[in-house]
Amino acid sequence: MSGEKRGEEEEALKTVELENGLRLVPRVKVNLTVYPSTPLSLNHPIDEWKMKRALIDFLHSSHSLTLPDDDLQITRINKRKRHHHHHSNPATAAVAAATLRVWDLPSHEFRRRLAHDLDGIELNLQGATFRLAASVPASDDFAAVKKEWEEHSAFRSRREPDTVVLRGVPSRWFAEPRVSSKPSMLVTHTIFSAFGKIRNLNVAEDDDFGKDTSEDSGDLVSGLYCKIVVQFEKYRDFHDALRALCGRSMQKEGSRLKADYEVSWDRDGFFRNSRNQIQEKNNMASTRASDHYKSEAPRRQAYNSRHSPDNARPRRVNPSLGRGIIFGDQPY
């Protein structure tokens, strides 16, 4: 193995420290789908707790992994959903879906092989046999993501991408303490400047994130998550930021929560199309105090986009309002 390759693999197992007490913690995430191996399995509704115990015990014996219950989440797929999603023989349709996360990674080899090792194994549960299909989420495979954007750029004869899209990070981690629980443009700018010089930034509440998860996955409060779109001046900084964000979760000092965000690169020219978005947001802006942040967001974006050649346009920010807009919400 070349020194460069070994260096990259060692790098992938390191924690990345950011500003504001935030860090990116390496982990391996595996998506599992559970299928019945025998027709008998279909007559046994899956007991999620027993299935979880069987899987955790299997990982302990096969990989010497000691997993807390929270690091394996199993959701039963009910029959109606199953028939809706699969037009195939019900005997081969999935009966459950699971997500496994492992934080203490012994080696890069372990990280690379875990999904491969779990794919196709069989579990016996109360006299019924189930088979697992395992895969790593597409966005966790940096090499594949990079290949995708390189092919996209070459095929469309476009310049290299420069914009990272992050969904599912807690709004309060990007807020100004004691000012607001809403995400702040200034705080977010400070955090992502760790990767390089930023050309453009957009931060918005992301109420749609997590809507597809099962109802018992926790209480989804409005404004809990935010979506961050950050455009770097240099391709190299975009590349390194995306590499750091792939295969990691975010944690804040003093918090046990590890935010399992989604990261991707911007295919749609978010900032090139942002004029239309600003117009749309202005039309929908509400005057209620609770919507203060949302209605100010377009003006914040106009302020922060002033360096972008794509967005050259007169500023519409009232200088007397500037500080209130940029440095968090007015207290109310």
Side-chain angles (χ1 to χ4, degrees):
M1 187 193 292
S2 72
E4 189 183 342
K5 181 86 172 147
R6 191 178 294 112
E8 274 187 24
E9 293 190 351
E10 283 170 12
E11 209 57 39
L13 295 175
K14 286 181 181 166
T15 293
V16 176
E17 298 291 341
L18 300 172
E19 295 282 331
N20 254 38
L22 291 179
R23 61 178 66 94
L24 298 172
V25 189
R27 52 114 176 99
V28 64
K29 180 177 175 182
V30 180
N31 290 333
L32 300 168
T33 315
V34 184
Y35 296 95
S37 285
T38 54
L40 177 66
S41 317
L42 282 171
N43 307 326
H44 288 247
I46 280 207
D47 180 321
E48 286 104 323
W49 189 83
K50 285 180 176 156
M51 174 70 74
K52 182 184 270 203
R53 292 293 353 138
L55 259 170
I56 286 176
D57 291 347
F58 171 81
L59 286 163
H60 185 69
S61 58
S62 64
H63 288 76
S64 307
L65 277 182
T66 305
L67 279 188
D69 279 8
D70 288 353
D71 291 352
L72 177 65
Q73 289 169 332
I74 295 189
T75 311
R76 188 164 36 184
I77 299 173
N78 64 37
K79 283 181 183 171
R80 200 178 307 124
K81 244 192 202 165
R82 207 155 66 218
H83 292 316
H84 177 67
H85 287 303
H86 300 270
H87 300 295
S88 56
N89 176 353
T92 60
V95 289
T99 306
L100 166 72
R101 293 174 191 81
V102 182
W103 306 98
D104 300 319
L105 302 175
S107 67
H108 193 273
E109 180 63 16
F110 168 87
R111 178 182 206 153
R112 211 174 51 78
R113 285 199 57 88
L114 185 62
H116 179 268
D117 292 351
L118 291 175
D119 194 44
I121 69 155
E122 295 205 325
L123 287 178
N124 289 309
L125 212 58
Q126 298 172 288
T129 314
F130 298 92
R131 181 176 50 83
L132 296 185
S135 64
V136 172
S139 64
D140 267 25
D141 183 348
F142 177 70
V145 172
K146 183 178 177 183
K147 186 167 183 266
E148 188 186 79
W149 88 54
E150 285 175 343
E151 285 174 358
H152 182 270
S153 301
F155 176 66
R156 300 189 180 269
S157 308
R158 286 187 173 166
R159 56 192 170 88
E160 293 165 319
D162 55 11
T163 303
V164 173
V165 181
L166 198 66
R167 295 190 68 188
V169 285
S171 295
R172 65 182 184 278
W173 289 358
F174 292 84
E176 283 190 79
R178 296 179 299 282
V179 174
S180 170
S181 59
K182 311 256 186 214
S184 147
M185 205 64 128
L186 189 72
V187 171
T188 308
H189 193 282
T190 304
I191 291 165
F192 281 92
S193 292
F195 296 113
K197 203 162 182 194
I198 291 170
R199 169 174 290 160
N200 250 317
L201 182 66
N202 182 280
V203 187
E205 289 179 354
D206 194 8
D207 291 341
D208 292 336
F209 186 82
K211 283 273 169 68
D212 299 335
T213 54
S214 64
E215 284 132 42
D216 56 10
S217 65
D219 47 348
L220 288 171
V221 183
S222 174
L224 190 63
Y225 297 114
C226 62
K227 177 181 176 180
I228 296 167
V229 187
V230 54
Q231 182 181 38
F232 291 95
E233 290 200 357
K234 294 195 177 86
Y235 165 75
R236 172 47 59 186
D237 294 337
F238 154 82
H239 174 282
D240 292 350
L242 201 54
R243 183 170 61 185
L245 289 160
C246 271
R248 286 183 169 91
S249 291
M250 195 176 283
Q251 194 172 20
K252 187 165 174 76
E253 219 172 354
S255 170
R256 286 179 57 231
L257 172 71
K258 293 186 177 91
D260 198 25
Y261 54 76
E262 285 175 10
V263 64
S264 57
W265 54 281
D266 170 38
R267 295 167 178 73
D268 310 316
F270 180 91
F271 289 108
R272 281 188 290 285
N273 300 329
S274 62
R275 259 184 220 170
N276 306 339
Q277 292 180 342
I278 285 174
Q279 196 49 51
E280 211 175 283
K281 283 183 184 172
N282 278 346
N283 293 343
M284 291 164 61
S286 161
T287 52
R288 286 187 302 129
S290 62
D291 282 348
H292 173 79
Y293 167 80
K294 287 177 188 166
S295 60
E296 296 297 358
R299 285 189 239 174
R300 286 193 192 188
Q301 183 178 321
Y303 179 91
N304 278 272
S305 302
R306 69 189 188 280
H307 298 303
S308 166
D310 293 336
N311 286 340
R313 64 181 181 278
R315 282 181 59 191
R316 287 176 297 164
V317 179
N318 178 336
S320 65
L321 290 174
R323 286 185 61 80
I325 292 166
I326 301 304
F327 295 102
D329 298 330
Q330 296 156 2
Y332 51 79

